[in-house]
Amino acid sequence: MPSVKSSLNSRIALCVLLVALSAASCSPSVPKPRAPGFQLVTVNPNATATATPFQPSLPTSTPTSSATLPATDTAVPTSTITPTATSTATAIPPTDTPVTVIHAPTPTFVPANTRTQYTFYVNLKYSARTLHTDEIIKYTNTTGQTLSNVVLAVVPNLSSNCFSLDSLAQDGRAVTAYSLNGQRLAVNLSQPLLPNAVTTFILSFNLSVPPQKGEKAFGYLTDQINLSDWYPFIVPYDNGWVLHDPWPFGEYLVYDAADYDVNLKLDDPSVVVAASAPEQTNGSWMEYRVEAARTFVMSASSRFKRDDSAVGSVKIYSYYFPGDENASGEVLWMATQAMGLYAAKFAPYPHSTISIVETNFPDGQEYDGLVFLSSNFYTKYNGTAKSDLVTIGAHELAHQWWFGLVGSDQATEPWLDEAMAVYTEKIFYEYNYPNYGNWWWNFRTYNFPPNGYVDGSIYDYSTFTSYVSAVYMNGAAFLDALRSRVGDDAYFAFVKDYAVRYAHKHATADDFFATLRLHTNTNFSDIIRKYFQQAH
């Protein structure tokens, strides 16, 4: 819509200028279209768990939380949040014949580093909901140990009749010594893999895409196919292979940063694909390349429309369904605000594109280079930033730093990415909507009052509500108390150092606090005792 885009362009220019100057606000000078009234999405907290909990409608008389943010016009309000206290694959016969994948185009993407490199040739039959994939994995042993086996996660194998492995080879020869049980593919190596040695695996597999269930963006929905964690990938090694068991809520997978070269063929030219990287045409293939990413995700739909914007050299793509043009315009405006601000306050965004994808499941979900936002957020969008579309959008984009750039173990220390992402929402509203005062905190804690220790694993919480109240909300309260104690200069210097120091690596809670102590001599041990079970 021209009116939305012209308004958006003027607001983008203003926001980029103000972020560059560390100004107080990026509030738009041109009014956005407003929907009549103010209505937020309602959720049943006892329903199936979702990835990033969104909020219900607030009553006419908003309950006053004991944790309130002051109403102020200043650029950065003083932080004052205070909390209420099995299947098995068929073996491949041994052979001396080298196993090769013969498909054009020939891979040319070979970065000079030791990250794992994934190359894919994918044939997607959209209407049939099937994929055939040839996958090449170039793996360098950076563990410091001599390895006798390698473990891959095959998440699609957790769904019935979804994944079938046609062939598996190592360094050109078929592999028979392997086992596939549930999501764990263990490959016994033909000879020990010494430290810094390189080996190459070639897999050929098929997916019959199942209906999407639960909080993960894998499966088909009415209007799209979502493909997250759709390929076998080598899991991190930390005194053993790190592959946790699934849990009813929270994320459990841990990812190394890797390089991806994905070549895709579609059987339906009307299908539009959103992906974790920009699309290039290479003959009859669509090719996507990205370096140092935790995941590579795609979403395909014959109904997608696309808008785009940019912040500096980063292109922002909004994929949405017809009828949601106004909401898509708001998504782009929110993303320009968030991406510019986060790059200035934390670290430069490491990729050239970010895709924001509307989807027909209940909530938001982050992946590297691509995030999903619920269609409910689009259809219920009220024309203001007091909405799930903006709040959860800002949250998922924060995960591009606290998950994508700085990795962590999401199962054992989920606060490192979730509490950081929630607290980044606060920073987003401070800089862009300082007049909102305590709205954001009351909105976020309305169904999930902060309570419980922050540093539990996902397996330590018996309910979704207790998990979110502790890890997300009390985690954000902890970070706010920490920032108030050490001061803004020290806090943001620490956050920048932390983001750069652990870029494309895995950080732990000990790493978090060790980096913090490099930037302050302030004693915050009482804050740790209040929020954490373990001393740091």
Coordinates of all heavy atoms in Angstrom, one line a residue, residues 122-131 162 207-212 216-228 230 264 266-268 271-275 297-304 321 357-361 370 372:
V122 N 17.9 -29.6 -2.5 CA 16.6 -29.9 -2.0 C 15.6 -29.9 -3.2 O 15.5 -28.8 -3.8 CB 16.2 -29.0 -0.9 CG1 14.8 -29.4 -0.3 CG2 17.3 -28.9 0.2
N123 N 14.8 -30.9 -3.3 CA 13.7 -30.9 -4.2 C 12.4 -30.9 -3.4 O 12.1 -31.9 -2.7 CB 13.7 -32.1 -5.2 CG 14.7 -31.9 -6.3 OD1 14.4 -31.3 -7.3 ND2 15.9 -32.5 -6.1
L124 N 11.7 -29.8 -3.4 CA 10.5 -29.7 -2.6 C 9.3 -29.8 -3.5 O 9.1 -29.0 -4.5 CB 10.5 -28.3 -1.9 CG 9.2 -27.9 -1.2 CD1 8.8 -28.9 -0.2 CD2 9.3 -26.5 -0.6
K125 N 8.4 -30.7 -3.3 CA 7.1 -30.9 -4.0 C 6.1 -30.3 -3.0 O 5.7 -31.0 -2.0 CB 6.8 -32.3 -4.3 CG 7.8 -32.9 -5.4 CD 7.5 -34.3 -5.8 CE 8.5 -34.8 -6.8 NZ 8.2 -36.2 -7.2
Y126 N 5.6 -29.1 -3.3 CA 4.8 -28.3 -2.4 C 3.5 -29.0 -2.1 O 3.1 -29.2 -0.9 CB 4.7 -26.9 -2.9 CG 3.9 -26.0 -2.0 CD1 4.5 -25.5 -0.8 CD2 2.6 -25.7 -2.2 CE1 3.8 -24.7 0.1 CE2 1.8 -24.9 -1.3 CZ 2.5 -24.4 -0.2 OH 1.7 -23.6 0.6
S127 N 2.8 -29.3 -3.1 CA 1.4 -29.9 -2.9 C 1.5 -31.3 -2.3 O 0.7 -31.6 -1.5 CB 0.7 -30.0 -4.3 OG 0.5 -28.7 -4.8
A128 N 2.5 -32.0 -2.7 CA 2.7 -33.4 -2.1 C 3.3 -33.3 -0.7 O 3.2 -34.3 0.1 CB 3.5 -34.2 -3.0
R129 N 3.8 -32.2 -0.3 CA 4.5 -32.0 1.0 C 5.6 -33.0 1.2 O 5.7 -33.6 2.3 CB 3.5 -32.0 2.1 CG 2.3 -31.0 2.0 CD 1.2 -31.3 2.9 NE 0.1 -30.3 2.9 CZ -1.1 -30.6 3.0 NH1 -1.5 -31.9 3.3 NH2 -2.1 -29.7 2.9
T130 N 6.5 -33.1 0.2 CA 7.6 -34.0 0.4 C 8.9 -33.3 -0.1 O 8.8 -32.4 -0.9 CB 7.4 -35.3 -0.5 OG1 7.3 -34.9 -1.9 CG2 6.2 -36.0 -0.1
L131 N 10.0 -33.7 0.5 CA 11.3 -33.2 0.1 C 12.2 -34.4 -0.1 O 12.2 -35.4 0.6 CB 12.0 -32.4 1.2 CG 11.5 -31.0 1.5 CD1 10.3 -31.0 2.4 CD2 12.6 -30.2 2.2
C162 N 8.0 -39.8 8.9 CA 8.4 -38.5 8.3 C 9.7 -38.6 7.6 O 9.9 -38.1 6.5 CB 8.4 -37.4 9.4 SG 9.1 -35.8 8.9
L207 N 11.8 -36.5 3.3 CA 10.9 -36.1 4.3 C 9.5 -36.1 3.7 O 9.2 -35.6 2.6 CB 11.2 -34.6 4.7 CG 12.5 -34.4 5.5 CD1 12.5 -32.9 5.9 CD2 12.6 -35.2 6.7
S208 N 8.6 -36.7 4.5 CA 7.1 -36.5 4.2 C 6.6 -35.6 5.3 O 6.5 -36.0 6.5 CB 6.4 -37.9 4.3 OG 5.0 -37.7 4.1
V209 N 6.4 -34.3 5.0 CA 6.2 -33.3 6.0 C 4.9 -33.5 6.7 O 3.8 -33.6 6.1 CB 6.2 -31.9 5.3 CG1 6.0 -30.8 6.4 CG2 7.5 -31.7 4.5
P210 N 4.9 -33.6 8.0 CA 3.7 -33.9 8.8 C 2.9 -32.6 9.1 O 3.4 -31.5 8.9 CB 4.3 -34.5 10.1 CG 5.5 -33.8 10.3 CD 6.1 -33.5 8.9
P211 N 1.7 -32.8 9.6 CA 1.0 -31.6 10.1 C 1.8 -31.0 11.2 O 2.4 -31.7 12.1 CB -0.4 -32.1 10.6 CG -0.5 -33.5 10.0 CD 0.9 -34.0 9.8
Q212 N 1.8 -29.6 11.3 CA 2.6 -29.0 12.4 C 1.8 -29.1 13.7 O 0.6 -28.8 13.7 CB 2.8 -27.5 12.0 CG 3.7 -26.8 13.0 CD 4.2 -25.5 12.5 OE1 4.7 -25.4 11.4 NE2 3.9 -24.4 13.2
K216 N 6.9 -25.8 17.7 CA 8.0 -25.8 16.7 C 7.5 -25.6 15.3 O 6.5 -26.1 14.9 CB 8.8 -27.1 16.8 CG 9.4 -27.4 18.2 CD 10.2 -26.2 18.7 CE 10.8 -26.5 20.1 NZ 11.5 -25.4 20.7
A217 N 8.3 -24.8 14.6 CA 7.8 -24.4 13.2 C 8.3 -25.5 12.2 O 9.1 -25.3 11.3 CB 8.4 -23.1 12.8
F218 N 7.8 -26.7 12.4 CA 8.1 -27.8 11.5 C 6.8 -28.5 11.1 O 6.1 -29.1 12.0 CB 9.1 -28.8 12.1 CG 9.3 -30.0 11.2 CD1 10.1 -29.8 10.0 CD2 8.8 -31.2 11.4 CE1 10.4 -30.9 9.2 CE2 9.0 -32.3 10.6 CZ 9.8 -32.1 9.4
G219 N 6.4 -28.5 9.9 CA 5.2 -29.2 9.4 C 4.4 -28.3 8.5 O 4.8 -27.2 8.2
Y220 N 3.3 -28.8 8.0 CA 2.4 -28.0 7.2 C 1.2 -27.5 7.9 O 0.7 -28.1 8.8 CB 2.0 -28.8 5.9 CG 1.1 -30.0 6.2 CD1 -0.3 -29.7 6.2 CD2 1.5 -31.3 6.3 CE1 -1.2 -30.8 6.4 CE2 0.6 -32.3 6.5 CZ -0.7 -32.1 6.6 OH -1.6 -33.1 6.8
L221 N 0.8 -26.3 7.5 CA -0.4 -25.7 8.0 C -1.3 -25.4 6.8 O -0.9 -25.7 5.6 CB 0.0 -24.4 8.7 CG 0.8 -24.6 9.9 CD1 1.5 -23.3 10.4 CD2 0.0 -25.1 11.1
T222 N -2.4 -24.7 7.0 CA -3.3 -24.5 5.9 C -2.7 -23.8 4.7 O -2.9 -24.1 3.6 CB -4.5 -23.7 6.4 OG1 -5.1 -24.4 7.5 CG2 -5.6 -23.5 5.3
D223 N -1.9 -22.8 5.0 CA -1.4 -21.9 4.0 C 0.1 -22.0 3.8 O 0.7 -21.2 3.0 CB -1.8 -20.5 4.3 CG -3.2 -20.2 4.2 OD1 -3.9 -20.7 3.3 OD2 -3.8 -19.6 5.2
Q224 N 0.8 -22.9 4.4 CA 2.3 -22.9 4.3 C 2.9 -24.2 4.8 O 2.3 -25.0 5.5 CB 2.9 -21.7 5.1 CG 2.7 -21.8 6.6 CD 2.9 -20.5 7.3 OE1 2.2 -20.1 8.1 NE2 4.0 -19.7 6.9
I225 N 4.2 -24.4 4.4 CA 5.0 -25.4 4.9 C 6.2 -24.7 5.7 O 6.9 -23.9 5.1 CB 5.5 -26.3 3.8 CG1 4.4 -27.1 3.2 CG2 6.6 -27.3 4.4 CD1 4.9 -28.0 2.0
N226 N 6.3 -25.1 6.9 CA 7.4 -24.5 7.7 C 8.5 -25.6 8.0 O 8.2 -26.7 8.4 CB 6.9 -24.0 9.1 CG 6.0 -22.8 8.9 OD1 6.3 -21.9 8.0 ND2 5.0 -22.7 9.7
L227 N 9.7 -25.2 7.7 CA 10.8 -26.2 7.8 C 11.9 -25.7 8.7 O 12.8 -24.9 8.3 CB 11.4 -26.5 6.4 CG 10.4 -27.1 5.4 CD1 11.0 -27.2 4.0 CD2 10.1 -28.5 5.9
S228 N 11.8 -26.0 10.0 CA 12.9 -25.7 10.9 C 13.4 -27.1 11.4 O 12.7 -28.1 11.5 CB 12.4 -24.9 12.1 OG 11.4 -25.7 12.9
W230 N 15.0 -29.3 10.0 CA 14.5 -30.2 9.0 C 15.6 -31.2 8.5 O 15.3 -32.2 7.8 CB 13.9 -29.5 7.8 CG 14.7 -28.5 7.1 CD1 14.9 -27.2 7.5 CD2 15.6 -28.7 6.0 NE1 15.8 -26.6 6.7 CE2 16.2 -27.5 5.7 CE3 15.8 -29.8 5.1 CZ2 17.1 -27.3 4.7 CZ3 16.7 -29.6 4.1 CH2 17.3 -28.4 3.9
L264 N 17.8 -25.1 -3.8 CA 16.4 -25.5 -3.7 C 15.7 -25.5 -5.1 O 15.8 -24.5 -5.8 CB 15.6 -24.6 -2.8 CG 14.1 -24.8 -2.7 CD1 13.8 -26.1 -2.0 CD2 13.5 -23.6 -1.9
L266 N 11.8 -26.1 -6.7 CA 10.4 -26.1 -6.4 C 9.6 -26.7 -7.6 O 10.0 -26.4 -8.8 CB 9.8 -24.8 -6.1 CG 10.2 -24.2 -4.7 CD1 9.8 -22.7 -4.7 CD2 9.5 -24.9 -3.6
D267 N 8.6 -27.5 -7.3 CA 7.7 -28.0 -8.4 C 6.6 -27.0 -8.8 O 5.9 -27.3 -9.8 CB 7.2 -29.4 -8.1 CG 6.1 -29.3 -7.0 OD1 6.2 -28.3 -6.2 OD2 5.3 -30.2 -6.9
D268 N 6.4 -26.0 -8.0 CA 5.3 -25.0 -8.2 C 5.9 -23.6 -8.3 O 6.3 -23.1 -7.2 CB 4.3 -25.2 -7.1 CG 3.1 -24.3 -7.3 OD1 3.1 -23.4 -8.1 OD2 2.1 -24.5 -6.5
V271 N 4.9 -20.7 -5.7 CA 5.2 -20.8 -4.3 C 6.3 -19.8 -4.0 O 7.3 -19.7 -4.7 CB 5.7 -22.2 -3.9 CG1 6.3 -22.2 -2.5 CG2 4.5 -23.2 -4.0
V272 N 6.2 -19.0 -2.9 CA 7.2 -18.0 -2.5 C 7.9 -18.6 -1.2 O 7.2 -19.2 -0.4 CB 6.5 -16.7 -2.1 CG1 7.6 -15.7 -1.5 CG2 5.9 -16.1 -3.4
V273 N 9.2 -18.5 -1.2 CA 9.9 -19.1 -0.1 C 10.6 -18.0 0.7 O 11.3 -17.1 0.2 CB 11.0 -20.1 -0.6 CG1 11.9 -20.6 0.6 CG2 10.4 -21.2 -1.3
A274 N 10.3 -18.0 2.0 CA 11.1 -17.2 3.0 C 12.2 -18.0 3.6 O 12.0 -19.2 3.9 CB 10.1 -16.6 4.1
A275 N 13.4 -17.4 3.8 CA 14.5 -18.2 4.2 C 15.4 -17.4 5.1 O 15.3 -16.2 5.2 CB 15.3 -18.8 3.0
V297 N 16.4 -22.1 8.1 CA 15.0 -22.3 8.2 C 14.4 -21.8 6.9 O 14.8 -20.8 6.3 CB 14.4 -21.6 9.4 CG1 12.9 -21.8 9.4 CG2 15.0 -22.2 10.7
M298 N 13.3 -22.5 6.4 CA 12.5 -22.0 5.3 C 11.0 -22.1 5.6 O 10.6 -22.9 6.4 CB 12.8 -22.9 4.1 CG 14.2 -22.8 3.6 SD 14.5 -23.8 2.0 CE 14.4 -25.4 2.7
S299 N 10.3 -21.2 5.0 CA 8.8 -21.3 5.0 C 8.3 -21.0 3.6 O 8.7 -20.1 3.0 CB 8.3 -20.2 6.0 OG 6.8 -20.3 6.0
A300 N 7.4 -21.9 3.1 CA 6.9 -21.8 1.7 C 5.4 -21.7 1.7 O 4.7 -22.4 2.5 CB 7.4 -23.1 1.0
S301 N 4.9 -20.8 0.8 CA 3.5 -20.6 0.7 C 3.2 -20.1 -0.7 O 3.9 -19.2 -1.2 CB 3.0 -19.7 1.8 OG 1.6 -19.4 1.6
S302 N 2.1 -20.5 -1.2 CA 1.6 -19.9 -2.5 C 0.8 -18.7 -2.3 O 0.4 -18.0 -3.2 CB 0.7 -21.0 -3.2 OG -0.4 -21.3 -2.5
R303 N 0.6 -18.3 -1.0 CA -0.2 -17.1 -0.7 C 0.7 -15.9 -0.2 O 0.2 -14.8 0.1 CB -1.3 -17.4 0.3 CG -2.3 -18.4 -0.1 CD -3.5 -18.5 0.9 NE -4.2 -17.3 1.0 CZ -4.4 -16.6 2.1 NH1 -3.8 -17.1 3.3 NH2 -5.0 -15.5 2.2
F304 N 1.9 -16.1 0.0 CA 2.8 -15.1 0.6 C 2.8 -13.9 -0.3 O 3.0 -13.9 -1.5 CB 4.2 -15.6 0.8 CG 4.5 -16.3 2.1 CD1 5.5 -17.2 2.1 CD2 3.8 -16.0 3.2 CE1 5.8 -17.9 3.3 CE2 4.1 -16.7 4.4 CZ 5.1 -17.6 4.4
F321 N 0.3 -12.7 4.7 CA -0.9 -13.1 3.9 C -1.7 -12.0 3.5 O -1.8 -10.9 4.1 CB -1.7 -14.2 4.7 CG -0.9 -15.4 5.1 CD1 -0.8 -15.8 6.4 CD2 -0.3 -16.2 4.1 CE1 -0.1 -16.9 6.8 CE2 0.5 -17.3 4.4 CZ 0.5 -17.7 5.8
V357 N 8.2 -13.7 9.3 CA 7.2 -14.5 8.5 C 5.9 -14.7 9.3 O 6.0 -15.1 10.5 CB 7.8 -15.9 8.2 CG1 6.8 -16.7 7.4 CG2 9.1 -15.7 7.4
E358 N 4.8 -14.3 8.7 CA 3.5 -14.6 9.3 C 3.2 -16.1 9.2 O 3.5 -16.7 8.2 CB 2.4 -13.8 8.6 CG 1.0 -14.0 9.2 CD -0.1 -13.2 8.5 OE1 0.2 -12.4 7.6 OE2 -1.3 -13.4 8.9
T359 N 2.6 -16.6 10.3 CA 2.4 -18.1 10.3 C 1.1 -18.4 11.1 O 0.8 -17.6 12.0 CB 3.6 -18.9 10.9 OG1 3.3 -20.3 10.7 CG2 3.7 -18.6 12.3
N360 N 0.4 -19.4 10.7 CA -0.8 -19.8 11.4 C -0.6 -20.7 12.6 O -1.2 -21.7 12.7 CB -1.7 -20.5 10.3 CG -2.3 -19.5 9.4 OD1 -2.8 -18.4 9.7 ND2 -2.2 -19.8 8.1
F361 N 0.3 -20.4 13.4 CA 0.4 -21.0 14.7 C 0.4 -19.9 15.8 O 0.6 -18.8 15.5 CB 1.5 -22.1 14.9 CG 2.9 -21.6 14.8 CD1 3.6 -21.1 16.0 CD2 3.6 -21.6 13.6 CE1 4.9 -20.7 15.9 CE2 4.9 -21.2 13.6 CZ 5.6 -20.8 14.7
L370 N 15.7 -15.7 10.6 CA 14.3 -15.7 10.3 C 13.5 -15.9 11.6 O 13.9 -16.7 12.4 CB 14.0 -16.9 9.3 CG 12.5 -17.0 8.8 CD1 12.5 -17.6 7.4 CD2 11.7 -17.9 9.8
F372 N 9.3 -16.2 13.2 CA 7.9 -16.3 12.9 C 7.0 -15.5 13.9 O 7.4 -15.5 15.1 CB 7.5 -17.8 13.0 CG 8.0 -18.7 12.0 CD1 9.2 -19.5 12.2 CD2 7.4 -18.8 10.7 CE1 9.7 -20.3 11.2 CE2 7.9 -19.6 9.7 CZ 9.0 -20.4 10.0

